Amino acid sequence: MGVFLEPCILNGLALLQHLVLGACEIVGRSEGLQEFLSLLQRMQQLTYLDLGVTLCALAPAAAYSALTASSKLQHLGLYMCTLPAGVGQYMFPPSRQLPQLQALFISDVRVPDGPAVAPDGSSLVSCCPGLQLLSMDGLQYHAELFAKLQGLSSLHELHLRPAGESPAGLELVGQLTSLRELRVTIPTEAEGLLLKLTQLQGLTSLRLKGKLCNMNLCNKVGGDNCS
């Protein structure tokens, strides 16, 4: 960590609309983080919130509801953070509406015992119906997640990299026909996934990484190297 952040810095900033904290260490560890989240809860005008590599201590799971307290939120970034298990039910409860949220980055998020499980698909559809970009690299997936994501008709860009070698659910990605851009790391066990992706006729950009990177498909679609 390069910067130490006193939670009280948020005092008096209730009208703040754009907040980016990168690789900051919140002073006070758990207690400091609780104070930080409590102050964040009051910031109802936030449209852009990015806390990459900043949420490293742990607070009670319910306190993280502050991350989605602003109904005006358009961008939420939580890459490389550590969160309590089960925090999704507080960030995306059934009663919460985030109609303007377009981009959600929850890549390489961990819980105390390992990689986090991807958010519940039904909750994302209910809370964030206008979601256009979803980045979930380094998480644990489940088939129900991708089945439910079909309800996000505006979802145009998806980033996926399974936390392990299990391809659970990835075969359903081919049913997300609204996708225009897809970036996916294919586990060794999911070689058949390429056939499923042929259903995505609307794709304009496809980036594949993994064992199959040397296939011609990688070079033909999107024009990007797979390194």
Side-chain angles (χ1 to χ4, degrees), residues 78-111:
L78 298 174
Y79 57 91
M80 295 183 69
C81 289
T82 300
L83 303 177
V87 73
Q89 63 182 310
Y90 299 102
M91 290 177 57
F92 303 104
S95 59
R96 184 144 302 172
Q97 290 295 306
L98 302 170
Q100 299 182 50
L101 188 64
Q102 298 178 7
L104 177 59
F105 293 85
I106 44 176
S107 294
D108 296 303
V109 170
R110 299 183 64 82
V111 293

Side-chain angles (χ1 to χ4, degrees), residues 65-202:
S65 66
L67 297 173
T68 55
S70 172
S71 61
K72 299 181 179 181
L73 207 59
Q74 299 174 17
H75 173 109
L76 177 60
L78 298 174
Y79 57 91
M80 295 183 69
C81 289
T82 300
L83 303 177
V87 73
Q89 63 182 310
Y90 299 102
M91 290 177 57
F92 303 104
S95 59
R96 184 144 302 172
Q97 290 295 306
L98 302 170
Q100 299 182 50
L101 188 64
Q102 298 178 7
L104 177 59
F105 293 85
I106 44 176
S107 294
D108 296 303
V109 170
R110 299 183 64 82
V111 293
D113 60 353
V117 175
D120 177 71
S122 297
S123 298
L124 290 180
V125 172
S126 173
C127 297
C128 322
L131 202 60
Q132 298 179 17
L133 188 162
L134 179 57
S135 180
M136 299 189 298
D137 287 340
L139 303 185
Q140 299 183 57
Y141 307 138
H142 45 90
E144 184 181 1
L145 165 68
F146 298 106
K148 297 297 183 181
L149 287 184
Q150 296 178 54
L152 291 174
S153 58
S154 298
L155 187 64
H156 296 327
E157 185 171 352
L158 184 61
H159 304 168
L160 299 171
R161 172 170 41 82
E165 285 297 306
S166 172
L170 284 179
E171 69 279 359
L172 297 178
V173 173
Q175 299 179 21
L176 302 177
T177 54
S178 65
L179 289 180
R180 299 295 176 265
E181 298 184 37
L182 176 61
R183 187 179 73 192
V184 57
T185 298
I186 302 181
T188 2
E189 300 176 16
E191 297 184 8
L193 177 62
L194 283 176
L195 294 178
K196 303 291 185 180
L197 297 184
T198 59
Q199 303 175 62
L200 300 176
Q201 299 295 316

Side-chain angles (χ1 to χ4, degrees), residues 1-5 20-26 51-56:
M1 293 292 183
V3 177
F4 290 91
L5 180 74
V20 177
L21 300 175
C24 295
E25 181 172 353
I26 297 175
L51 303 176
V53 207
T54 291
L55 303 181
C56 297

Side-chain angles (χ1 to χ4, degrees), residues 12-14 17 41 75 175 207:
L13 297 179
Q17 298 180 21
Q41 183 83 33
H75 173 109
Q175 299 179 21
R207 301 182 182 184

